[in-house]
Amino acid sequence: MSNVIDLRSDTVTLPSPAMRQAIFDAALGDDVYGDDPTVNALEKLAAAKVGKEAALLVTSGTMGNFCGVLAHCGRGDEVIVGDKCHIYNHEAGGASVLGGVAYHPVANTDAGEMPLTAIAGAIRDRENPHAALTRLVCLENTHGGCGGVVVAPSYMAQVKKLAHANDLKVHLDGARVFNAAVALGVDVKEITQHVDSVQFCMSKGLSAPIGSILAGDADLIRKARRLRKMLGGGMRQAGIIAAAGIVAITEMVDRLAEDHVNARILAAGLATIPGIAVDMNKIQTDIVVFSITDGRDLGALIGQLKAHGILVGGFGANSIRAVTHYGIDSNHIEATLEVFRTLMSQPAIGGSQAVEGAYR
Ligand SMILES: *Cc1c(COP(=O)(O)O)cnc(C)c1O
């Protein structure tokens, strides 16, 4: 792997030396009995970090969102989601399949928002027996489907006000909420204060090997703990995971700024290459989405990049996504730009063979 520059996602990050040491040294117990001191320490720390009463360690962001949505909603309830959000598009419909909750998608703007009027319009009349019961609004920050843009806390405050006025709760899919906080230069609580529950990933830019946190009030987390158990997510000596999580949220947040700088450098460099278009306004965090405008086959290009040791992902019909992270430094960015300059200066290759596997 050492020669590969892996820009597919910040999920490919490997644990830091401090994490490996913390895992080695972790005090352990059976967390299903509530006996793992490291898990308990992480949950306490994480709750305080995002300004909530309680927190729960879960295996993944998907499990965190699932437990969050299902702790708020029962069968026959409806949840308002952005049409580009992760919960709606990339979580196998879990809340619907396993929880009997209906999704009510509302179009996301390029800023990762749902217009307030559209949210208001999606709230069902409780007195109408034909309608499902609207229970929850889900936000996402940063917004992955919109290219890692930061959703403004002022907008979130308005959503919360609208939701609470209609007896709804607000859940935040904050898989990368620390990227949003660092990009804004604010404490993460400036963001999470506007939601009733939040899920964040420790295994993305924060570089822990496994784990997400769901945080909210104590009653919600009690319900979520039952749901986690139901899913098979009650883990025993989970301090092995939590030890790295503690390092992630105490030592790895501030350095996200480096990833954001590298993303800007990568984007600015790509923007100078003929055949590539980048909207620099959207390069706000660690995600760089850019389009290929010279008509060459995207899959073939991704295959060529791979052959040169550079891994990226496709993003929609004619765009590529590259994500900076703890494993990427400025030399990797320079090397990546060099390969792009070379490949884009050459005629496009055809070749469905290259397309094959490019999207894995
Ligand atoms: C990655 C991600 C998730 C899911 O996290 P997993 O740990 O991969 O299950 C949820 N929401 C967003 C916005 C994400 O980027």
Side-chain angles (χ1 to χ4, degrees):
M1 278 303 279
S2 59
N3 291 327
V4 172
I5 300 174
D6 194 343
L7 299 165
R8 287 173 301 172
S9 178
D10 47 8
T11 56
V12 304
T13 42
L14 299 176
S16 68
M19 286 179 187
R20 291 180 189 268
Q21 191 61 48
I23 291 167
F24 186 84
D25 292 336
L28 301 174
D30 188 330
D31 183 50
V32 176
Y33 286 102
D35 282 351
D36 189 302
T38 308
V39 172
N40 294 340
L42 169 65
E43 291 179 345
K44 199 168 165 210
L45 190 68
K49 191 99 182 165
V50 294
K52 301 296 172 202
E53 226 170 48
L56 182 71
L57 171 65
V58 290
T59 58
S60 64
T62 301
M63 187 185 280
N65 285 330
F66 178 87
C67 292
V69 171
L70 265 291
H72 286 295
C73 303
R75 297 186 68 79
D77 285 347
E78 194 166 73
V79 42
I80 296 173
V81 291
D83 70 340
K84 293 200 178 77
C85 83
H86 198 281
I87 290 178
Y88 184 52
N89 294 293
H90 301 292
E91 300 185 6
S96 170
V97 176
L98 302 174
V101 171
Y103 300 106
H104 191 137
V106 166
N108 275 125
T109 66
D110 286 350
E113 299 178 356
M114 296 175 273
L116 294 171
T117 49
I119 295 176
I123 300 171
R124 309 271 192 190
D125 172 8
R126 273 187 208 292
E127 301 308 318
N128 179 353
H130 301 86
L133 288 165
T134 312
R135 194 72 68 187
L136 180 69
V137 180
C138 290
L139 297 176
E140 184 172 315
N141 200 2
T142 63
H143 203 294
C146 295
V149 295
V150 177
V151 176
S154 56
Y155 162 79
M156 294 177 63
Q158 290 177 296
V159 172
K160 181 188 183 184
K161 197 170 162 212
L162 172 65
H164 286 188
N166 286 278
D167 217 6
L168 311 178
K169 300 291 187 188
V170 182
H171 171 75
L172 175 63
D173 179 356
R176 297 189 179 89
V177 72
F178 288 100
N179 291 86
V182 167
L184 290 168
V186 301
D187 187 285
V188 73
K189 289 194 278 293
E190 295 291 320
I191 299 171
T192 55
Q193 65 171 322
H194 301 304
V195 297
D196 298 292
S197 58
V198 54
Q199 177 281 126
F200 68 83
C201 291
M202 299 182 292
S203 61
K204 289 190 169 168
L206 301 183
S207 310
I210 304 167
S212 275
I213 291 288
L214 175 69
D217 68 30
D219 185 51
L220 187 91
I221 296 304
R222 228 182 339 267
K223 289 180 189 154
R225 199 174 287 279
R226 176 183 297 276
L227 289 158
R228 183 187 69 171
K229 183 69 189 166
M230 198 184 290
L231 289 177
M235 298 177 283
R236 302 296 177 173
Q237 284 72 37
I240 294 280
I241 294 168
I246 290 172
V247 177
I249 62 177
T250 54
E251 292 180 19
M252 302 298 277
V253 171
D254 292 344
R255 65 151 306 285
L256 293 173
E258 289 171 40
D259 300 342
H260 299 178
V261 168
N262 283 333
R264 293 286 300 183
I265 295 170
L266 177 62
L270 288 168
T272 66
I273 300 173
I276 293 181
V278 189
D279 181 350
M280 289 301 291
N281 291 327
K282 293 216 189 128
I283 314 301
Q284 299 176 6
T285 56
D286 61 340
I287 297 179
V288 179
V289 172
F290 53 98
S291 48
I292 303 300
T293 56
D294 65 0
R296 73 179 65 217
D297 184 84
L298 198 66
L301 176 62
I302 290 171
Q304 283 181 296
L305 288 162
K306 186 175 179 186
H308 283 79
I310 300 190
L311 305 183
V312 294
F315 191 89
N318 67 343
S319 293
I320 286 177
R321 186 183 87 155
V323 186
T324 57
H325 53 77
Y326 178 56
I328 298 295
D329 63 25
S330 56
N331 294 323
H332 296 122
I333 300 295
E334 263 323 303
T336 300
L337 287 169
E338 199 49 49
V339 172
F340 266 99
R341 281 186 207 105
T342 304
L343 293 179
M344 293 302 291
S345 69
Q346 296 167 356
I349 59 158
S352 48
Q353 250 186 329
V355 180
E356 201 84 51
Y359 290 101
R360 277 176 208 278

